[in-house]
Amino acid sequence: MALVTLIALEIVLGIDNIIFIAILVGRLPKEQRQKARILGLSLAMITRLLLLLSLFWIMKLTAPLFNVLGQDISGRDLILILGGLFLIGKSTLEIHHDIEEADESKPQDSLQSSAKKGFINVLIQIAILDIVFSLDSVITAVGMVSNIEIMMLAVIVAVGVMMIASKGISEFVENNPTIKILALAFLILVGVTLVAEGLNFHISKAYIYFAMAFSLGVESINIYIKKKRIAQKNQH
């Protein structure tokens, strides 16, 4: 039961990771996307396993380093704050990039001209956020289960499931621009949550996931209605 619960929790906690990877990978040429997805999620798995094997170091991260406005800031808090700020900044830039891309006067061959550089940049950005997302995931695992073998098995199974699901999620996000903007807004919310968590203000992720699920449901209905109207126009 502990293993099944932990696998389910690891998958839920990995949703933001999959979305982030899906959006970054969408900037690459089609032939590189699947490779980037697999490498990105493999990096996530390796990071989580290494963190699990460094439990003593993780426990030390909770010791206060300095004080800001009456709040003790530990190494873990610092990682969450910096990771959250990176996620907010990156998601905002992606939204800005998408709005600019809608302008037809912009060059459309920018992806091809920097394919190799783009691939390395994508992997670096995935690796940076993997550390933050993995830290959150591993701390949750440590709080739930005391057996390290169960934790490691749960991580491996969860990442395996994410690898299978990542292609479908990536293609869905890429084929629906409004869903992509929604996903980026979700990542900004996650970034704000990470910063708040780092400053010792706890915001339950359940609220964030519920808001995202509700918004996704509404947007799915809009997409369905739009496609139905297009199909009816084509028939006439």
Side-chain angles (χ1 to χ4, degrees):
M1 277 304 297
L3 177 63
V4 172
T5 305
L6 197 52
I7 288 169
L9 197 62
E10 289 289 326
I11 292 169
V12 170
L13 288 172
I15 289 171
D16 40 19
N17 207 344
I18 292 177
I19 292 171
F20 183 75
I21 290 172
I23 289 166
L24 284 182
V25 164
R27 295 264 169 258
L28 296 173
K30 283 188 177 181
E31 62 273 12
Q32 291 185 349
R33 290 177 188 176
Q34 183 61 12
K35 185 181 176 182
R37 281 186 211 107
I38 298 300
L39 281 173
L41 287 167
S42 298
L43 282 171
M45 182 171 69
I46 291 165
T47 305
R48 291 181 190 193
L49 292 176
L50 288 174
L51 285 173
L52 280 172
L53 293 170
S54 311
L55 288 179
F56 179 70
W57 178 73
I58 290 174
M59 292 302 117
K60 280 178 71 177
L61 280 177
T62 57
L65 294 176
F66 52 88
N67 190 285
V68 176
L69 300 174
Q71 295 287 347
D72 288 330
I73 303 297
S74 66
R76 170 185 173 269
D77 295 333
L78 203 56
I79 291 171
L80 290 176
I81 291 167
L82 293 175
L85 290 172
F86 176 79
L87 196 57
I88 293 166
K90 180 62 186 171
S91 300
T92 305
L93 286 172
E94 285 291 326
I95 292 173
H96 181 69
H97 187 280
D98 277 5
I99 292 169
E100 274 197 333
E101 209 174 50
D103 184 354
E104 292 181 358
S105 64
K106 298 283 177 184
Q108 297 297 314
D109 57 348
S110 57
L111 283 178
Q112 299 299 326
S113 62
S114 57
K116 287 183 182 177
K117 185 182 175 184
F119 187 81
I120 300 297
N121 282 339
V122 164
L123 287 183
I124 290 170
Q125 290 176 68
I126 289 171
I128 291 169
L129 258 295
D130 275 344
I131 294 169
V132 181
F133 289 139
S134 297
L135 189 69
D136 188 26
S137 171
V138 167
I139 288 170
T140 303
V142 171
M144 282 187 61
V145 183
S146 57
N147 191 318
I148 193 156
E149 286 83 6
I150 289 178
M151 292 184 212
M152 293 179 79
L153 184 58
V155 166
I156 292 167
V157 173
V159 173
V161 171
M162 286 191 275
M163 281 181 178
I164 294 167
S166 64
K167 186 178 180 181
I169 292 171
S170 294
E171 288 176 353
F172 180 71
V173 169
E174 195 60 33
N175 293 334
N176 296 279
T178 51
I179 294 290
K180 187 176 180 180
I181 297 298
L182 198 62
L184 286 165
F186 167 64
L187 289 174
I188 290 173
L189 275 178
V190 172
V192 171
T193 306
L194 289 172
V195 173
E197 194 79 34
L199 294 170
N200 298 315
F201 297 105
H202 179 67
I203 301 172
S204 175
K205 272 198 172 183
Y207 295 121
I208 307 295
Y209 287 133
F210 175 78
M212 183 61 186
F214 180 79
S215 302
L216 184 62
V218 172
E219 190 55 41
S220 297
I221 294 169
N222 285 335
I223 290 169
Y224 173 74
I225 292 170
K226 188 178 178 181
K227 285 182 178 178
K228 197 172 180 181
R229 283 176 180 169
I230 291 168
Q232 285 175 347
K233 281 183 182 178
N234 291 337
Q235 284 176 359
H236 294 301

